[in-house]
C-alpha cells in the first residue's frame, strides 16, 4: 500500500519544500503567493452545479454546445477546486489547520457533481479540475471520516467512469484525430486514479492502452521533440497532461519512469521540453501560429520549465529560470539540490523537416538572445489539429519586436476555440501573411509543401518553400523565398545595412487575382504611406466584414509603408509592377474592435502570374533609403539587387517554373 500523500508531492518532497522556504527568498515568496491564493477560499462562494441547461443542450449537435459545456464542466467547477488544492498544499507545507478545514468542505461539496454531460471536451475539462481534487484529497485524506471517504471514493469512481467513457468515444469515432492532446488529459485522470486507489489496470491503460503514453510518445512528437499539432501553443497543452503523469509515476515509485524512459527512435519526454528553444524569437517567445487566441507563450514563464528545472538539473533550464519574469510556481519548491549552472543555448538558422517550419536568424549562437537579430519564421506545414489556412505564411521578428504578425483577433467570450471571431476570421487565409487567390480561403492541406532551398550562409540566410503541385489553390503554383541578412550583436555597433528580402511568386495557366497579405502592429494603429487612397467597399460577409476603414490606391511604381512600435521604426518597400492595387484597412485587435486596430494591407495584381518583391527594414533610428531591382538571372533564377547604406547585395532566387 502506498503511503499518502504520494501524487503531487511525497512526504519527503514536502520536507524539502519546507527547508527551501526557510532558506531561500524565492521559495518564501512562492509560498507567500501560494498562501495568498489559498486564502481566497475563505471568501469564495462554492459553485452551484446546475443541470437544467443540459435538458436543452443535449438535443443539439455537440458542435453547437461548446460554450455551455465549457462553462458547466470547466469554468464553473475549476476555480474553487484550484483554491482547495492550494489550501491543502499550504496545510502540508506547515500552514495552520484552518487551511485543511477550508479545503475539506470543498471536496465534499463536489461529490454532488453528476458527470452526466456528453461532449468531446468533457474528458479534458473534468481532468483539468479533477486532478486537483484528487491531489487535494491525497494531501488531506487522513482528515476524512470513513463515511466521508466513501463519498469521496464514489465521486472519483464516477469521475473516472466519465473520463473513460469520453476516451472510448474519442477512440471509436476518431474525434480530433489520433494522438490528440486530449488523450494526455484522459490518461492523466486514469493514471492518478490507478495510483491512488492501487488499481494497476488503469495505470497499465495509461501507459500501454490505445492512445496511451507509448503511442503518444512514439507518434505525437516530431523533429527534435515538437508536438505534431499545427499550433505551437498546443505543444504545452499536451505537456500539461504528460508531465503530471510523469511526476505521479515517479512519486508513487512506479517502475515506469516517464522522465527517463526512451521510446521508439530514441524519443524522450525531455526532448519535448528542450526542442522548443530552437523555435524561439530572441525575446524567448514562441511564434504565434495556428490557434493561439491571441496568447503568446514566453518560455521562461511556461510552467513546464519549472518541472524541467526540478527534474533534469540541466544548465538550459537554469538559464530559462534566470530569464523568468513571473513568480515561481509550487512545483519549484521541491527542488532538492542547490540551483546548478545556467547557460544560454546556442541557436542557428535551421529547418524542422517533419513539422514543415524554417527559422532564419541574422545573429546566431548564444548572442542571439535578447539581441536585435532578425528572425524569420516560415511555414510549409500540412493542416493538422488547430491549423489555420496560412500556408507559406511568414512571421517576422526584428529589433526586439514582432513586425510581421500572424494575427489573431482576441475573443471576448470565455471559450475562444468556438468563438465566432475564431472561425470566421482568425483561421482564414485573410488573417495571415501569405497570398490569397481570387479572394478565397484556401482549403484543407493534407500534406506538407516543399522545401526547395535552404542556404544558411554566414552573412545571408536564405530559404525557399513552395507549393509546386497546386495544393493550396488548385492549378496555382506558389513559391516564397526569404533572405535574412547580417546584423551585429548588441555588444557592437549596429549595422544599418541589415534587411530581410521576401520574394513571393505565383503562376497558373489561367488568369487569377492574387492578393499579397500583410499584417503588422503600430502603436497608433496607423500605416504611413503615400498615395491617393480612397474608400473602397470590401466583399460582404465574413471574413471581410471583420475589416474596417478600407481604402485603396493604384501604385504601379516602387512604394513603401512604415509603422512604429515604441522606438522601433519598421518599413516595407515593395518593388513596383504595373496594375498594382494597394488596399489599407484596420484589422480588429479583438472582436469588440477596441482601439487601436492592427494595420493590414493587401497588394493586388491580376494575370496568369505575379511576383511580389518586398524588403523589410527596422531600426531604432532613421531608416536609410533602399534601392531594389529584379531581373532575369541565369539557369532559371531571378536576380534581385539591393542597395542599402552604401552596400549592394545580389540575391539569386529560384524562379517559379
Amino acid at each position: 500500500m502506498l503511503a499518502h500523500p504520494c501524487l503531487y508531492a511525497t512526504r519527503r518532497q514536502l520536507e524539502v519544500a519546507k527547508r527551501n522556504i526557510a532558506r531561500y527568498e524565492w521559495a518564501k515568496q512562492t509560498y507567500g503567493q501560494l498562501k495568498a491564493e489559498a486564502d481566497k477560499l475563505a471568501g469564495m462562494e462554492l459553485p452551484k452545479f446546475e443541470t437544467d441547461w443540459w435538458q436543452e443542450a443535449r438535443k443539439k449537435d455537440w458542435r453547437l454546445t461548446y460554450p455551455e459545456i465549457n462553462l458547466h464542466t470547466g469554468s464553473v467547477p475549476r476555480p474553487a477546486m484550484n483554491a482547495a488544492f492550494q489550501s491543502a498544499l499550504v496545510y502540508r507545507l506547515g500552514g495552520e489547520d484552518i487551511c485543511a478545514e477550508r479545503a475539506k468542505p470543498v471536496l465534499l461539496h463536489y461529490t454532488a457533481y453528476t458527470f452526466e454531460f456528453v461532449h468531446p471536451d468533457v474528458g479534458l475539462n473534468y481532468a483539468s479540475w479533477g486532478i486537483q481534487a484528487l491531489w487535494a484529497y491525497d494531501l488531506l485524506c487522513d482528515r476524512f471520516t470513513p463515511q466521508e471517504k466513501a463519498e469521496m471514493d464514489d465521486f472519483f469512481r464516477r469521475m473516472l467512469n466519465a473520463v473513460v467513457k469520453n476516451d472510448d468515444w474519442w477512440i471509436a469515432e476518431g474525434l480530433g484525430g489520433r494522438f490528440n492532446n486530449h488523450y494526455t488529459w484522459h490518461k492523466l485522470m486514469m493514471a492518478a486514479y490507478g495510483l491512488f486507489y492501487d488499481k494497476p489496470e488503469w495505470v497499465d491503460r495509461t501507459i500501454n492502452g490505445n492512445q496511451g503514453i507509448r503511442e503518444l510518445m512514439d507518434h505525437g512528437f516530431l523533429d527534435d521533440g515538437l508536438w505534431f499539432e499545427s499550433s505551437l501553443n498546443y505543444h504545452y497543452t499536451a505537456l500539461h497532461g504528460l508531465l503530471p503523469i510523469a511526476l505521479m509515476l515517479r512519486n508513487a515509485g512506479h517502475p515506469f519512469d516517464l522522465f527517463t524512459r526512451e521510446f521508439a527512435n530514441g524519443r524522450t519526454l525531455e526532448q519535448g521540453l528542450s526542442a522548443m528553444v530552437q523555435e524561439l524569437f530572441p525575446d524567448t517567445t514562441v511564434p504565434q501560429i495556428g490557434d493561439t487566441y491571441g496568447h503568446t507563450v514566453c518560455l521562461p514563464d511556461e510552467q513546464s520549465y519549472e518541472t524541467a528545472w526540478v527534474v533534469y538539473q540541466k544548465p538550459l533550464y537554469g538559464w530559462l529560470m534566470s530569464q523568468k519574469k513571473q513568480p515561481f510556481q509550487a512545483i519549484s519548491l521541491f527542488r532538492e539540490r542547490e540551483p546548478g549552472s545556467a547557460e544560454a543555448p546556442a541557436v542557428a538558422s535551421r529547418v524542422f523537416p517533419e513539422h514543415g517550419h524554417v527559422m532564419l536568424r541574422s545573429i546566431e549562437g548564444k548572442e542571439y538572445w535578447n539581441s536585435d537579430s532578425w528572425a524569420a519564421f516560415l511555414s510549409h506545414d500540412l493542416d493538422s489539429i488547430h491549423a489555420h489556412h496560412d500556408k507559406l505564411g511568414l512571421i517576422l521578428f526584428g529589433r526586439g519586436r514582432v513586425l510581421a504578425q500572424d494575427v489573431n483577433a482576441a475573443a471576448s467570450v470565455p471559450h475562444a476555440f468556438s468563438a465566432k471571431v475564431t472561425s470566421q476570421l482568425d483561421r482564414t487565409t485573410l488573417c495571415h501573411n501569405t497570398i490569397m487567390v481570387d479572394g478565397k480561403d484556401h482549403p484543407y492541406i493534407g500534406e506538407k509543401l516543399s522545401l526547395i532551398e535552404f542556404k544558411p550562409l554566414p552573412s545571408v540566410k536564405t530559404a525557399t518553400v513552395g507549393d509546386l503541385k497546386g495544393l493550396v489553390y488548385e492549378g496555382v503554383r506558389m513559391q516564397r523565398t526569404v533572405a535574412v541578412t547580417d546584423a551585429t550583436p548588441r555588444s557592437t555597433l549596429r549595422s544599418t545595412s541589415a534587411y530581410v528580402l521576401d520574394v513571393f511568386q505565383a503562376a497558373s495557366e489561367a488568369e487569377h487575382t492574387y492578393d499579397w497579405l500583410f499584417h503588422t502592429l503600430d502603436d497608433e494603429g496607423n500605416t504611413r504611406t503615400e498615395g491617393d487612397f480612397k474608400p473602397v467597399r470590401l466583399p460582404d460577409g465574413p471574413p471581410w466584414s471583420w475589416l474596417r476603414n478600407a481604402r485603396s490606391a493604384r501604385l504601379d511604381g516602387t512604394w513603401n509603408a512604415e509603422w512604429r512600435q515604441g522606438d522601433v521604426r519598421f518599413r516595407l518597400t515593395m518593388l513596383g509592377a504595373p496594375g498594382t492595387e494597394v488596399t489599407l484597412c484596420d484589422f480588429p485587435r479583438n472582436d469588440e474592435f477596441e482601439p487601436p486596430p492592427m494595420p493590414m494591407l493587401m497588394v493586388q495584381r491580376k494575370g496568369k502570374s505575379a511576383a511580389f518583391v518586398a524588403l523589410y527594414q527596422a531600426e531604432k533610428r532613421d531608416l536609410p533609403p533602399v534601392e531594389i531591382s529584379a531581373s532575369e538571372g541565369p539557369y532559371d533564377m531571378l536576380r534581385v539587387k539591393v542597395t542599402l547604406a552604401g552596400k549592394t547585395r545580389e540575391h539569386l532566387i529560384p524562379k517559379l517554373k
Side-chain angles (χ1 to χ4, degrees), residues 81 107 110-113 115 129-130 133 150-160:
M81 189 54 72
L107 291 170
Y110 275 64
T111 61
Y113 199 90
F115 300 106
W129 54 269
E151 293 178 31
M152 295 303 303
D153 294 347
D154 177 69
F155 167 72
F156 287 118
R157 178 186 56 78
R158 290 185 291 109
M159 175 183 286
L160 174 73

Side-chain angles (χ1 to χ4, degrees), residues 110-126:
Y110 275 64
T111 61
Y113 199 90
T114 63
F115 300 106
E116 65 188 280
F117 317 112
V118 179
H119 189 277
D121 274 13
V122 297
L124 183 152
N125 289 347
Y126 292 156

Side-chain angles (χ1 to χ4, degrees), residues 348-351 358-361 364 451-457 461-464:
S349 299
R350 60 161 297 177
V351 172
V358 181
M359 179 66 88
L360 302 175
R361 297 175 164 103
E364 299 186 328
L451 174 67
I452 297 166
E453 179 183 75
F454 178 62
K455 293 182 178 179
L457 302 179
K461 317 296 192 298
T462 307
T464 300

Side-chain angles (χ1 to χ4, degrees), residues 556-603:
D556 289 342
T558 297
W559 56 277
N560 60 59
E562 286 193 20
W563 303 272
R564 294 167 187 166
Q565 294 184 51
D567 61 351
V568 175
R569 296 180 61 184
F570 176 46
R571 178 190 291 161
L572 157 68
T573 301
M574 181 164 281
L575 189 63
T580 298
E581 192 79 16
V582 178
T583 300
L584 309 178
C585 56
D586 296 344
F587 190 96
R589 186 174 298 274
N590 55 42
D591 59 5
E592 296 182 336
F593 297 94
E594 292 180 350
M598 293 186 281
M600 175 182 172
L601 61 81
M602 296 177 281
V603 184

Side-chain angles (χ1 to χ4, degrees), residues 10 42 67 71 73 109 119 128 162 176 213 233 249 270 299 358 381 396 406 439 451 546 589 622 646:
T10 64
L71 177 66
T73 70
H109 174 77
H119 189 277
S128 69
I213 296 300
N233 282 26
L249 289 171
E270 200 265 332
L299 220 63
V358 181
D381 199 3
L396 188 63
D406 190 290
L451 174 67
W546 287 95
R589 186 174 298 274
D622 290 342

Side-chain angles (χ1 to χ4, degrees), residues 118-192:
V118 179
H119 189 277
D121 274 13
V122 297
L124 183 152
N125 289 347
Y126 292 156
S128 69
W129 54 269
I131 189 65
Q132 293 187 317
L134 193 48
W135 285 346
Y137 185 50
D138 181 48
L139 292 164
L140 300 176
C141 60
D142 58 354
R143 299 181 67 94
F144 286 70
T145 68
Q147 176 59 37
E148 290 168 339
K149 287 183 178 181
E151 293 178 31
M152 295 303 303
D153 294 347
D154 177 69
F155 167 72
F156 287 118
R157 178 186 56 78
R158 290 185 291 109
M159 175 183 286
L160 174 73
N161 289 341
V163 172
V164 170
K165 181 179 179 181
N166 193 247
D167 191 61
D168 288 341
W169 185 27
W170 271 74
I171 292 170
E173 299 296 328
L175 301 173
R178 291 180 297 178
F179 322 123
N180 192 292
N181 66 80
H182 279 245
Y183 288 115
T184 70
W185 290 84
H186 301 168
K187 269 52 179 188
L188 170 62
M189 205 63 233
M190 295 179 203

Side-chain angles (χ1 to χ4, degrees), residues 403-424:
L403 300 172
Q405 180 93 342
D406 190 290
V407 290
N408 280 239
S412 58
V413 296
H415 193 252
F417 174 83
S418 62
K420 185 180 294 186
V421 72
T422 303
S423 59
Q424 290 188 355

Side-chain angles (χ1 to χ4, degrees), residues 195-206:
L195 291 169
F196 183 86
Y197 286 103
D198 193 21
K199 301 286 185 181
E201 63 271 23
W202 293 115
V203 180
D204 182 68
R205 174 164 171 169
T206 295

